[in-house]
Amino acid sequence: MALSGLGWAGLAVVAFSGTVPATVLALRDMDPLVVGAGRSVLAALLAMGALLAGRAALPRRSQLQALLLVALGCGIGFGVLSAIALRDVSASHAAVLIGLLPMATAAAAVVRGGERASPLFWLANAAGSVAVVAYAWSDGVGSVRVADGLLLLALVIAAVGYAEGGRLAREMPGWQVIAWGVVFALPVSAPLTGIALATSTVRVGAASLGGFVYVGTVSMFVGFFAWYHGLARAGVTRGSQLQLLQPFLTLVWAALILGDHPGIAAPLTATVVLVCVAVAQRARFSLSVRPVTPPA
């Protein structure tokens, strides 16, 4: 497909926007560890098939550290922590908090990838982040709950995985980045899934199974094909800002799929975040990211 880097990143954001509602569906009949770790196991099985079919070369030694960070952040950490948190907060609440992810990803890209952005860029992102934190505080009746802390921790480690994967996708195809990432996570995700299955009762209904399959195939694997390819082409700092649109999309899916009807604060916060996206993108010419044509 002849898409720009931002176009590929946008496709990924649409795919990722269904993650929270799909996780909530899966949690109706499954333990959080089964959902959070099991989705990585499912993705790893798909990844091994893809790597073998594509005759992918083994990663170089210099790429192992980045792949381990992808495995930690995207392969296991975000899925497990967010699944545990979603037992105690609504999909709409979690969706708005995820608006902090682009800010965290941009910060990780600056620290690890050497990217730079203008003051306007950071101001816009800070404003969006403040709006999200204020929403979490008000929705939690004047406090930040344990589940909020788990979601914030999930966002931090996911941001590192995003930044490392986006940087690595300049050296290898984006699909191989996530494929190796979930394979490297398998020594952790497989035992966690096995323990959770052995110690919990799993009643698999059609809705919960559909949610699990979605997070294991689309959220955990296929969506990353477009995501890492887009970040490599557009730059991690710039491309990641499209994910500020994700809370708004997730609110729509939560309403359609789960019947979530949040108060005015959720869509209002999402609208503020949308404005911040536009401002951040206007600062794009100040981003000093060397154009890259990633491998196919």
Side-chain angles (χ1 to χ4, degrees):
M1 294 176 64
L3 291 177
S4 66
L6 289 179
W8 283 107
L11 283 178
V13 167
V14 173
F16 292 156
S17 67
T19 300
V20 169
T23 300
V24 172
L25 285 179
L27 288 173
R28 289 179 177 177
D29 296 326
M30 302 180 189
D31 182 82
L33 270 183
V34 174
V35 178
R39 75 180 205 167
S40 185
V41 173
L42 175 56
L45 295 176
L46 296 174
M48 287 187 288
L51 290 169
L52 288 173
R55 298 182 179 180
L58 291 173
R60 301 193 302 269
R61 180 176 297 181
S62 61
Q63 298 170 331
L64 294 181
Q65 182 183 24
L67 284 173
L68 287 173
L69 289 172
V70 171
L72 172 64
C74 303
I76 188 68
F78 180 84
V80 169
L81 292 173
S82 62
I84 295 173
L86 281 167
R87 292 182 306 178
D88 301 317
V89 297
S90 69
S92 298
H93 182 93
V96 177
L97 260 66
I98 288 174
L100 286 173
L101 186 52
M103 181 68 167
T105 304
V110 168
V111 173
R112 293 286 300 172
E115 297 191 14
R116 294 295 180 265
S118 71
L120 177 61
F121 179 92
W122 290 112
L123 182 61
N125 278 277
S129 299
V130 168
V132 168
V133 172
Y135 168 78
W137 183 270
S138 63
D139 197 47
V141 193
S143 64
V144 176
R145 292 165 287 194
V146 173
D148 292 325
L150 290 175
L151 283 172
L152 292 175
L153 179 59
L155 297 182
V156 170
I157 60 177
V160 174
Y162 280 5
E164 289 297 310
R167 185 170 61 87
L168 194 56
R170 299 180 183 185
E171 303 175 16
M172 65 168 66
W175 71 269
Q176 290 186 22
V177 174
I178 189 57
W180 286 117
V182 292
V183 168
F184 279 22
L186 204 52
V188 176
S189 61
L192 283 179
T193 304
I195 293 171
L197 286 172
T199 57
S200 64
T201 301
V202 179
R203 305 182 307 274
V204 182
S208 58
L209 180 61
F212 179 77
V213 170
Y214 186 94
V215 295
T217 57
V218 179
S219 304
M220 192 72 261
F221 193 50
V222 177
F224 275 100
F225 288 20
W227 184 238
Y228 282 142
H229 187 71
L231 293 187
R233 292 179 64 89
V236 175
T237 311
R238 181 188 177 198
S240 66
Q241 298 319 293
L242 285 182
Q243 203 160 32
L244 283 168
L245 301 170
Q246 187 170 321
F248 182 80
L249 294 174
T250 300
L251 288 174
V252 175
W253 293 126
L256 294 175
I257 297 172
L258 304 175
D260 255 11
H261 297 291
I264 189 62
L268 181 60
T269 303
T271 300
V272 171
V273 168
L274 285 174
V275 173
C276 293
V277 173
V279 174
Q281 287 303 308
R282 285 181 65 84
R284 62 187 182 276
F285 296 110
S286 298
L287 302 180
S288 57
V289 181
R290 179 175 57 87
V292 172
T293 300

